[in-house]
Amino acid sequence: MNARAFWYRGVAPLAAVLVAALLLLSLLLLATGHDVGPALQALVRGAFGSSYAITSATMVRMVPLGFAGLAVSLAFRAGILNVGAEGQLLIGAAAATAMAVPMAGVSPVIGIPVLLVAGATAGAVWAGIAALLRLRFGVLEVISTIMLNFVALYLTGWLVRGPLQEPTRINPQSASLPDALHLPVLLDGTRLHAGVPLLVVVAVGVWWWLSHTASGFRVRAVGANAFAAQSAGGIAVSRTVFTAFLLSGLLAGLGGAVEYTGITYALYENFSPGYGYTAIAVALMARLHPVGVLGTALLFGALEAGANAMQRDAGVPSVVVSVVEALLILLVVAADRVVDRVGDRVDTPVAARAEAAT
Amino acid sequence: MSALDIGTGFLEATVRTATPLAFAALGECISERAGVINIGLEGSIIAGALGATVAAGVIGVGGGFAVGALAGVAVAAVFALFTVGLKADQIITGTAITMFALGLTGTLYRTIFGTSGVALSTPTTGVVAIPGLSSLPLVGPGLFAQPLATYVVMLLAPFLAWWLQRTHGGLALRAIGEYPEAAVAAGIAPRRVQALAVLFAGGMAGLAGATLVLAQAGTFVEGMSAGRGFIAIAIVVLGRWRPLGVAAAALLFGAANSLQTLFQSMGFTGVPYQLFLALPYVLTLLVLAGASGRAASPAALGKRVG
């Protein structure tokens, strides 16, 4: 992408989309009888108003959103509409919780990685069900992954009332993770944990894999045009789709395990407030770019943290945030369609110039 | 409880839970025959449920159904604007529409009714027992002593089957889903037909939501659509895109939903209830897997047209 295209295809529409979403949110607040000024102030204060808000609200929410956003980005890049990050994340957290029992007393140097690997593996297996259904039986993954989200939700509900319930059997949640197995906290007095640098490393790794390896190239080729990849590129499409689907689930599952070992230290029914669904907006806003996901996950982490503050301080129902997220998706889609139409005209001279220069 | 009583209760519960699913799936069937897959159906259902809740308290049950249908149409209009108007991706748009409607209904519900925790109750439709038939053993209460909405859906399925196969409008609609180029050559405006089909499906989904509130729950709960929009899409596949097949498939899902009650009345209590809650979703997966190889989907389903 050249500099000009970066601005008019990348930055300008994003800025327009953000402003438009903010305006629509203000209208919605007005229509539901809230004071717009104080509500938006609470939103910003809850997200960025203090160092505690930044480290312990915004950045902490960025982590599960980032992992799930990477999962969605990778899948969409391969042409797989995996909207099951929510279920894969839950299953990842459940698997890590199940592994915590045998890991109690084990050195954290071994124990923590085992929990994370268990979560990632379980996420990949859960996504593998949808991958098999698509490749073997032609089941649309949009439907299968959503169905699996519901199954994961009820499975979690059963686990925390059955096999994984805490010993007193009073609360529908798992026993607390032993302190030794918590992800290290980076700054004393905050909730900022090692999941943040891990997310950055994984995001860069996914980007490097997609752009610098042969298997990453195959994934992008299949996503761009499966027919051409198979016929002209000689790429085994089914195997590539299967690999990408598993990796996508692995990332979401890892996100669940990181959330469990870094923040919640227990599994319970509403473990994820819809991180897997928000991740779709995170990925689309980042234009499916893995490093871009870091930025949009931070933005959505801020939005979620701010929404909580808005509910607490201004009485605005926090579910309003999913309206904003949906608006962002729709506005990005609309902006893309508009930019495509206008851009075709603007692109031509740029492409012609590039050709003349070579 | 006698075996006959248990069977009667099971049938009654099956038909009751199948009714909203059949409304949503019959609408989606029409939309998909026109080539548009609307994953945002869930959004129309929840909007219909809230619309019905608000209106029923003010203008009664009949008005509740009407406003519920209109709310479903309104949500579908946004979907149509993006997919038919802007030719945006149907799946991504549908996903966003579902998020949008779930968030908006939650916000509006809490704004209108507050979060006091006091259960809100709406008026509900009574059961209309058909004289004579409703006293038949076993099937009587299930088929002939149901709310009016159930009878509407029972009549709607054969009507839509007839309309699709036997009328000019039905032919035009099917042509666009199967072979848009030929339809355009025949002078049919594809985008107008698709937009109307999407709006119709939205209205049906709105009625599904209204049925949930006004004929069943008697109250609104955030997220009470609980994936029925997605199950309805699976029902369309199982019914092989034919209204009568869709109605039959809806009954199967109603039966899966009612198994929990059946097991309880038969005295099985050892099975975790979450298993029954998960059953319709697992069944959807199994059905979709089993339906493969018998591809009968409209050829241009999900493609950008016009």
Side-chain angles (χ1 to χ4, degrees):
Chain A
M1 203 190 286
N2 61 41
R4 189 169 161 191
F6 176 75
W7 284 105
Y8 79 73
R9 273 192 188 273
V11 177
L14 269 192
V17 158
L18 275 177
V19 171
L22 208 60
L23 280 176
L24 286 168
L25 170 64
S26 306
L27 277 178
L28 182 61
L29 289 174
L30 263 180
T32 50
H34 294 99
D35 292 328
V36 177
L40 292 183
Q41 271 170 24
L43 179 84
V44 174
R45 203 169 47 240
F48 300 115
S50 63
S51 62
Y52 186 82
I54 295 170
T55 56
S56 300
T58 293
M59 291 186 75
V60 153
R61 284 179 179 81
M62 168 194 179
V63 175
L65 289 173
F67 279 107
L70 286 175
V72 175
S73 296
L74 177 63
F76 279 28
R77 276 287 187 93
I80 304 161
L81 289 164
N82 175 16
V83 285
E86 179 80 0
Q88 291 143 20
L89 186 143
L90 273 179
I91 293 296
T97 310
M99 281 309 285
V101 181
M103 285 298 121
V106 174
S107 150
V109 183
I110 297 167
I112 293 177
V114 166
L115 297 190
L116 297 185
V117 168
T121 310
V125 168
W126 202 247
I129 301 173
L132 267 182
L133 284 169
R134 166 165 161 182
L135 294 171
R136 196 45 93 69
F137 301 102
V139 178
L140 209 59
E141 71 271 16
V142 174
I143 311 236
S144 64
T145 49
I146 286 184
M147 293 296 120
L148 286 166
N149 286 347
F150 282 101
V151 177
L153 190 65
Y154 292 124
L155 188 62
T156 310
W158 171 67
L159 286 173
V160 298
R161 287 186 177 79
L164 293 181
Q165 193 172 19
E166 44 87 27
T168 67
R169 302 229 157 242
I170 296 168
N171 299 313
Q173 64 178 63
S174 73
S176 289
L177 182 68
D179 286 355
L181 293 176
H182 292 186
L183 280 183
V185 171
L186 298 180
L187 284 172
D188 279 343
T190 72
R191 303 203 296 161
L192 193 72
H193 57 84
V196 177
L198 182 65
L199 171 67
V200 174
V201 169
V202 171
V204 172
V206 171
W207 165 78
W208 185 84
W209 177 72
L210 271 176
S211 53
H212 287 83
T213 67
S215 53
F217 171 77
R218 284 197 290 272
V219 164
R220 286 184 292 132
V222 167
N225 188 334
F227 180 72
Q230 177 129 43
S231 56
I235 293 171
V237 170
S238 295
R239 200 162 65 191
T240 307
V241 165
F242 193 69
T243 310
F245 220 138
L246 291 195
L247 281 175
S248 174
L250 181 146
L251 288 166
L254 179 60
V258 168
E259 181 72 357
Y260 165 67
T261 51
I263 288 293
T264 67
Y265 308 141
L267 183 71
Y268 42 90
E269 209 155 31
N270 298 317
F271 179 84
S272 166
Y275 287 134
Y277 297 106
T278 308
I280 300 165
V282 168
L284 287 175
M285 287 281 287
R287 304 303 160 102
L288 311 184
H289 193 293
V291 178
V293 161
L294 292 175
T296 53
L298 186 68
L299 173 72
F300 280 87
L303 209 54
E304 306 243 329
N308 279 338
M310 214 159 52
Q311 170 151 338
R312 204 173 48 237
D313 302 343
V316 179
S318 62
V319 282
V320 81
V321 74
S322 74
V323 179
V324 177
E325 286 159 7
L327 283 172
L328 286 172
I329 298 179
L330 291 175
L331 288 166
V332 165
V333 169
D336 276 355
R337 300 298 300 156
V338 172
V339 167
D340 274 352
R341 286 180 193 181
V342 180
D344 286 345
R345 290 203 299 274
V346 188
D347 271 338
T348 318
V350 175
R353 270 207 311 274
E355 204 162 314
T358 50
Chain B
M1 210 187 284
S2 77
L4 186 69
D5 287 341
I6 290 171
T8 308
F10 178 61
L11 259 180
E12 191 276 327
T14 295
V15 174
R16 178 160 32 85
T17 37
T19 300
L21 290 173
F23 267 120
L26 284 170
E28 178 71 8
C29 175
I30 296 300
S31 167
E32 291 197 16
R33 287 304 283 265
V36 184
I37 179 162
N38 183 0
I39 303 269
L41 209 60
E42 181 85 3
S44 283
I45 297 179
I46 194 71
L50 183 64
T53 306
V54 174
V58 185
I59 50 177
V61 173
F65 274 100
V67 172
L70 283 178
V73 170
V75 170
V78 182
F79 179 80
L81 179 72
F82 276 81
T83 54
V84 182
L86 283 173
K87 293 188 224 169
D89 184 275
Q90 292 176 6
I91 303 291
I92 291 175
T93 306
T95 311
I97 292 286
T98 294
M99 279 172 73
F100 176 75
L102 286 173
L104 189 63
T105 50
T107 308
L108 290 177
Y109 174 73
R110 290 192 212 177
T111 306
I112 301 169
F113 300 107
T115 45
S116 54
V118 179
L120 171 87
S121 59
T122 65
T124 50
T125 57
V127 164
V128 182
I130 295 175
L133 292 173
S134 60
S135 46
L136 287 173
L138 193 62
V139 296
L143 296 179
F144 305 111
Q146 290 278 354
L148 201 58
T150 301
Y151 302 125
V152 171
V153 98
M154 281 177 185
L155 297 174
L156 193 65
F159 170 77
L160 288 177
W162 168 81
W163 184 83
L164 265 181
Q165 281 321 113
R166 303 274 176 221
T167 67
H168 186 75
L171 177 69
L173 183 106
R174 286 186 290 129
I176 285 163
E178 293 294 344
Y179 198 1
E181 295 82 1
V184 173
I188 303 166
R191 293 165 77 172
R192 195 169 68 200
V193 174
Q194 286 192 326
L196 285 173
V198 168
L199 294 181
F200 173 76
M204 288 292 109
L207 283 179
T211 306
L212 282 177
V213 171
L214 301 177
Q216 298 182 7
T219 184
F220 179 85
V221 182
E222 278 185 61
M224 72 186 295
S225 47
R228 283 183 180 82
F230 302 101
I231 292 178
I233 289 165
I235 287 175
V236 174
V237 178
L238 179 64
R240 304 188 73 185
W241 291 270
R242 292 165 189 279
L244 292 175
V246 166
L251 276 177
L252 180 70
F253 275 81
N257 244 319
S258 312
L259 271 184
Q260 187 185 3
T261 340
L262 179 71
F263 270 50
Q264 271 169 359
S265 56
M266 289 168 72
F268 296 124
T269 48
V271 194
Y273 70 91
Q274 291 93 353
L275 186 74
F276 293 105
L277 292 173
L279 193 63
Y281 307 102
V282 175
L283 185 69
T284 303
L285 290 173
L286 293 177
V287 157
L288 289 175
S292 72
R294 302 190 278 121
S297 72
L301 185 62
K303 302 213 171 91
R304 288 171 180 161
V305 173

